[in-house]
Amino acid sequence: MSCKLLYFAFIVIGITAAVAQTLFIRELSQVFYSNELCLGVILAGWLFFVGLGSIIGRKIKRNIFVGLLSLVSVIMVIEFLLVYCIKPVLNIGAGELISPVSMIIISFFILSPLSIVLGIIFVQGCKLLSQETKDKSQSVNKVYILEAIGYMIGGFCFAYLLGTLFPLTALFILSLLILLSSLSLSSSSFHLGCSFKRFKLCILFLCLLTIWGLCAVKRIEAFVLRVAYPKYEIVNHNRSIHSNLVLVKLGSLYSVYENGILSFSYPLPLEAEEKVHLPLLQVKSPSCVLVLGGTPEMIKELLKYPIQEVHWVRLDKKIAKLIDFSVLHNTRVKMHWIDGRRFVKNYTGDKFDVVIVDVGEPNTALLNRFYTTEFFNEVAQLLSAAGIISIELSSNPNYLSPELVEYNGTIYKTLKQVFPSIILVPGDNLKLFGSRDPGWLSDNPDTLALRLSVPTQYITTHYLQCLFYSERIDYVVGILDNFTPRVLNTDFHPISYYSDIVLKGAYFSQPLKQFFMSFSHIPQWITLLGLILCFILIGFLSRRVEVKRKSRYGGAVFSIGIIGATGIGAQILLILGFEVLFGFMYHKIGIITGAFMLGLAIGAKLTKLTKLNKLSTLFICIILYLLCLFFVINYAEVLRLSEFIFYLLPVIIGFLTGSGWTLANQLLITQGYYNEYQNSNVKTQISKSKTQVKHFPPVWTGQTAGLLYGVDLIGSCVCSFAISVFFIPIYGFNFSFLLLILLNLIALYFTIRP
């Protein structure tokens, strides 16, 4: 079999893994009403099952590489269609929440077939390449490098080319690429377990089916949308690098969904009037207003006032192609298609009298950026002396449960830290109006009624008296003023998105709510001590395995687990830090991920040319990198560092992770499996230095690849879930950095030979 055909196949697998992973995370997030718990579950499930597949692949002796490769093209399409069938099959409405337990079961059920097959393919590929190359010890490394290159290509292609296509179009293109690769490999002489002719006919049939799918993709897309929104009329839809936009109609009501989440509905004049007139009644003669998010109806209401300028900020420009944005023709409206947080950071124009924040709840790290101390301070710099900020949170006008008190109270106290004077309006959505100057603020409905100088349909004297009912306001103010949050909500300690997870958990299960609430109240030192003792115990167990087997087996496996966990943990911290500092830019996050995979490939290839010839040296470098990343994220604004550094740092951690893979692979073969097999009947040729094994049984390749890849991904799975869902929101960035550094110090201790 031609090695070049195999190399091409491995790159195709890497591209497939990158695009499929990104697509399924995005599409499943739309089904599960995306939050950090949802993203953590999906990513952890993907990594876990790929790791499990690689471990299963160790036990498979038969060569089924090409058959599995062809199977991937079929599984991808079937799994995608299953994603869109979830809601109608389970009778779940658009925008309806799904319980965390159901989320885990559904996502694992859908992701497991493709993920497991990809894991097995990696091991099969390593075995196959070892039969085709003379230096068999490097076959695992070559497959790892080629898949990393493919993953990097896939990441860039998705960000700039495939991301704006209907997902099934991207999957059909990938399927065709996979089938062509399978067809070329099937021409080579190796056992497939069936007739060559029959196998080729099957591949050709799948190719024709895929081409037909590409030709009929628009009809399939229309069908899929009807399935996803069964009770609605699909009016229009569009895709961009930022989101999947769908405009639906039910009766006379239009609704815009962004990535499966309800963005806004119209016409809803009452909602628009509340969001505009209530804050503007708190300001004397507003002349300049900033709206982050918002709707065209809100802008129309604002234009009733003699305002000189309305600055409207939205992220996705393609939404203007879905609905009527005729308000943009008004010369007083200044439209900015940019990330809202980035706009606030960089704005240098006239001061605003009112800033209306209407971007959604702080249920993700991305949206949490608009509810932090740092953001409120940035807004304060843009406001005039008596200017106000307006925000909204889910609440209850009559009873605040403990989880609701924590959710509302944390944001309330965070806002009050910057804007000491706050007027609140209780309701299903708690409205908060904050200012540094209390002079014009009022919660007296009669006073506010006198200030109302523009025509309104719903905001009347009687309605204001209902909204500003004094007993209800006193009840909510009393509870929130007496509430003491554990920490304020900040950019690098986003506790509010964890509070949202607790709040959502309370909708489905009291035990689940209690679990999340109990975990959030565990002191930092107890969590840190428990994790340290746990990993020290694992380290001692790995050392015991080494003594028992008289090999470095345990040390290599323990090391690659820590390296995998550190790599994914550092990437999560870097991406979230990038979003906080420079705003959300989808394609640039794709560059960060691609840069990591580039570093991974370079590190795995060039380890021998560097001085990173020991795991102990590698762990020292990783610790230094984590300290550097901590410094960059915390002091980037002070030092005015360019965002270019965030494209360079992933290359470094990728290089270290790739080097760790190469060293662990070499250690496991030369001092692990060799010592286990040296007394067997297997004839092995070893160089005089005993540092390389060039000729050994194919089983060694499969055992090494399956074990290392599995442990690497399972370590990444555990860390990605724990860091994103628990450690970052509950304990903050600094704790997460400290934890990763301590884990590498523990690994360093156990890799230093006595």
Side-chain angles (χ1 to χ4, degrees):
M1 181 186 298
S2 171
C3 285
K4 290 182 179 179
L5 291 177
L6 271 178
Y7 292 165
F8 176 72
F10 297 144
I11 292 173
V12 168
I13 292 168
I15 295 171
T16 302
V19 175
Q21 180 187 22
T22 309
L23 276 176
F24 281 114
I25 288 176
R26 189 173 78 175
E27 299 304 314
L28 281 170
S29 296
Q30 296 180 27
V31 174
F32 299 141
Y33 207 82
S34 176
N35 62 17
E36 235 59 26
L37 175 62
C38 160
L39 296 173
V41 165
I42 297 169
L43 180 59
W46 176 275
L47 294 171
F48 173 79
F49 283 112
V50 175
L52 180 63
S54 67
I55 292 173
I56 292 172
R58 300 171 69 209
K59 306 296 182 182
I60 300 175
K61 296 181 180 179
R62 190 178 176 186
N63 181 5
I64 54 174
F65 179 81
V66 177
L68 288 175
L69 187 60
S70 305
L71 187 61
V72 167
S73 65
V74 178
I75 293 176
M76 284 193 307
V77 177
I78 293 174
E79 286 189 2
F80 173 79
L81 295 175
L82 282 175
V83 170
Y84 275 86
C85 291
I86 292 171
K87 288 192 172 184
V89 169
L90 299 179
N91 196 27
I92 299 168
E96 184 177 339
L97 293 176
I98 297 177
S99 72
V101 175
S102 299
M103 183 195 306
I104 293 171
I105 294 172
I106 292 169
S107 59
F108 282 16
F109 171 76
I110 289 177
L111 291 175
S112 56
L114 179 60
S115 304
I116 289 173
V117 170
L118 287 173
I120 296 173
I121 281 178
F122 178 81
V123 179
Q124 286 279 309
C126 293
K127 290 180 182 178
L128 206 55
L129 189 61
S130 70
Q131 297 171 5
E132 300 293 324
T133 55
K134 294 181 180 180
D135 188 358
K136 301 181 185 299
S137 64
Q138 293 301 309
S139 61
V140 178
N141 248 22
K142 286 181 180 178
V143 176
Y144 187 74
I145 292 167
L146 290 167
E147 281 204 10
I149 292 171
Y151 202 105
M152 178 189 67
I153 295 170
F156 284 120
C157 285
F158 184 83
Y160 291 101
L161 299 173
L162 302 178
T164 57
L165 300 176
F166 177 55
L168 207 54
T169 306
L171 292 180
F172 278 141
I173 293 171
L174 280 178
S175 295
L176 200 57
L177 196 61
I178 291 168
L179 291 170
L180 291 174
S181 177
S182 299
L183 193 62
S184 63
L185 288 172
S186 66
S187 302
S188 300
S189 55
F190 77 104
H191 182 60
L192 288 170
C194 64
S195 166
F196 284 110
K197 184 180 289 186
R198 196 184 312 160
F199 185 79
K200 288 182 179 179
L201 285 174
C202 288
I203 294 178
L204 288 171
F205 173 74
L206 290 173
C207 285
L208 291 174
L209 201 61
T210 304
I211 293 169
W212 174 85
L214 279 171
C215 296
V217 75
K218 287 191 175 180
R219 281 179 288 174
I220 297 173
E221 182 177 14
F223 171 76
V224 165
L225 286 173
R226 287 198 301 271
V227 171
Y229 300 91
K231 298 179 181 180
Y232 297 89
E233 175 191 346
I234 309 298
V235 179
N236 203 348
H237 60 91
N238 210 329
R239 288 180 180 270
S240 70
I241 60 173
H242 303 294
S243 56
N244 172 27
L245 301 165
V246 181
L247 176 63
V248 299
K249 181 182 179 183
L250 184 62
S252 61
L253 185 69
Y254 292 84
S255 298
V256 176
Y257 286 85
E258 293 189 56
N259 292 328
I261 301 173
L262 179 63
S263 178
F264 61 88
S265 298
Y266 69 94
L268 290 175
L270 172 59
E271 184 178 295
E273 287 187 7
E274 283 188 354
K275 289 182 177 181
V276 170
H277 299 297
L278 295 183
L280 263 68
L281 291 176
Q282 305 293 334
V283 180
K284 186 177 182 179
S285 303
S287 62
C288 192
V289 177
L290 170 64
V291 180
L292 302 177
T295 67
E297 277 189 298
M298 290 174 59
I299 304 303
K300 289 177 182 177
E301 292 298 321
L302 279 168
L303 293 176
K304 291 179 180 179
Y305 292 86
I307 295 173
Q308 294 178 6
E309 287 185 346
V310 176
H311 290 261
W312 189 12
V313 180
R314 289 197 66 96
L315 178 63
D316 201 337
K317 190 174 184 178
K318 288 199 173 182
I319 197 172
K321 297 181 179 180
L322 259 68
I323 60 175
D324 178 20
F325 267 65
S326 58
V327 291
L328 297 182
H329 300 315
N330 192 302
T331 55
R332 291 186 290 162
V333 179
K334 312 297 180 184
M335 192 71 216
H336 307 274
W337 300 106
I338 189 175
D339 175 76
R341 184 70 186 270
R342 191 176 181 89
F343 176 84
V344 170
K345 281 178 178 289
N346 298 327
Y347 179 76
T348 56
D350 296 334
K351 298 285 186 179
F352 296 108
D353 299 302
V354 180
V355 173
I356 300 174
V357 180
D358 187 34
V359 295
E361 302 277 336
N363 54 13
T364 67
L366 182 66
L367 292 175
N368 186 78
R369 301 175 302 143
F370 295 94
Y371 298 87
T372 62
T373 304
E374 294 88 346
F375 173 72
F376 294 146
N377 276 315
E378 290 165 1
V379 170
Q381 300 301 314
L382 305 185
L383 286 172
S384 58
I388 72 159
I389 181 174
S390 169
I391 64 174
E392 287 190 12
L393 299 167
S394 294
S395 188
N396 190 301
N398 301 311
Y399 171 70
L400 297 181
S401 61
E403 58 272 11
L404 203 50
V405 170
E406 185 160 351
Y407 180 59
N408 289 171
T410 302
I411 300 295
Y412 175 80
K413 286 297 179 74
T414 303
L415 181 65
K416 200 164 188 175
Q417 185 79 9
V418 181
F419 299 97
S421 302
I422 294 179
I423 295 294
L424 61 79
V425 183
D428 291 331
N429 288 318
L430 176 66
K431 297 174 177 61
L432 300 174
F433 311 130
S435 178
R436 291 170 295 176
D437 182 359
W440 194 255
L441 295 181
S442 175
D443 59 5
N444 186 308
D446 296 327
T447 302
L448 296 175
L450 291 173
R451 294 178 182 176
L452 189 62
S453 59
V454 297
T456 57
Q457 184 177 353
Y458 294 98
I459 303 297
T460 63
T461 301
H462 294 297
Y463 192 71
L464 288 171
Q465 288 173 346
C466 180
L467 284 178
F468 290 89
Y469 184 57
S470 59
E471 290 186 9
R472 188 177 288 157
I473 292 174
D474 292 341
Y475 164 73
V476 176
V477 169
I479 291 176
L480 298 185
D481 276 338
N482 291 326
F483 171 74
T484 304
R486 291 182 297 108
V487 292
L488 295 177
N489 192 43
T490 65
D491 284 340
F492 298 122
H493 199 153
I495 186 64
S496 286
Y497 83 66
Y498 188 81
S499 299
D500 180 80
I501 292 174
V502 175
L503 189 61
K504 297 291 193 302
Y507 294 158
F508 301 101
S509 167
Q510 285 300 311
L512 189 66
K513 181 199 75 174
Q514 288 300 327
F515 166 76
F516 282 115
M517 288 194 73
S518 299
F519 195 94
S520 67
H521 289 90
I522 299 174
Q524 287 189 18
W525 69 271
I526 292 180
T527 302
L528 194 62
L529 181 62
L531 289 169
I532 290 172
L533 292 176
C534 178
F535 279 94
I536 288 175
L537 177 62
I538 295 172
F540 276 116
L541 289 175
S542 70
R543 179 64 64 86
R544 187 175 179 181
V545 170
E546 289 185 354
V547 173
K548 186 177 179 179
R549 297 196 179 198
K550 297 180 181 180
S551 70
R552 297 297 302 276
Y553 182 97
V557 173
F558 178 67
S559 297
I560 201 64
I562 296 293
I563 291 169
T566 304
I568 194 74
Q571 276 295 91
I572 290 172
L573 289 166
L574 188 143
I575 289 173
L576 293 181
F578 179 87
E579 288 182 344
V580 166
L581 295 167
F582 301 106
F584 175 67
M585 288 161 288
Y586 190 81
H587 61 288
K588 291 190 177 180
I589 291 178
I591 295 173
I592 290 174
T593 305
F596 174 80
M597 300 310 296
L598 174 64
L600 200 73
I602 295 172
K605 179 67 177 176
L606 302 182
T607 301
K608 290 183 178 181
L609 303 180
T610 67
K611 295 183 180 180
L612 289 175
N613 54 2
K614 292 183 179 180
L615 282 172
S616 55
T617 307
L618 179 72
F619 282 117
I620 292 172
C621 291
I622 291 175
I623 292 167
L624 292 174
Y625 170 83
L626 290 171
L627 291 171
C628 177
L629 181 60
F630 169 81
F631 178 82
V632 167
I633 289 178
N634 281 277
Y635 298 100
E637 287 190 313
V638 176
L639 299 175
R640 297 183 179 179
L641 297 177
S642 166
E643 65 183 60
F644 173 78
I645 196 169
F646 281 81
Y647 308 143
L648 177 62
L649 288 171
V651 178
I652 299 173
I653 187 60
F655 180 88
L656 295 174
T657 304
S659 298
W661 169 272
T662 301
L663 291 173
N665 173 49
Q666 182 180 346
L667 188 64
L668 196 59
I669 289 178
T670 59
Q671 300 180 41
Y673 284 115
Y674 165 67
N675 288 339
E676 291 189 21
Y677 283 88
Q678 62 179 343
N679 296 322
S680 67
N681 295 325
V682 178
K683 294 182 179 180
T684 308
Q685 298 179 17
I686 306 174
S687 62
K688 293 182 180 180
S689 63
K690 293 188 178 182
T691 58
Q692 287 189 5
V693 181
K694 291 190 176 182
H695 305 285
F696 52 84
V699 68
W700 289 22
T701 304
Q703 293 289 333
T704 301
L707 184 62
L708 288 184
Y709 201 55
V711 172
D712 181 12
L713 291 176
I714 290 174
S716 300
C717 156
V718 174
C719 186
S720 65
F721 184 78
I723 284 244
S724 62
V725 177
F726 294 106
F727 297 147
I728 288 177
I730 295 175
Y731 304 121
F733 271 54
N734 292 349
F735 174 90
S736 302
F737 274 115
L738 177 61
L739 177 62
L740 292 177
I741 289 170
L742 289 175
L743 290 186
N744 282 272
L745 284 172
I746 293 169
L748 174 62
Y749 171 78
F750 284 105
T751 53
I752 297 175
R753 301 301 294 171

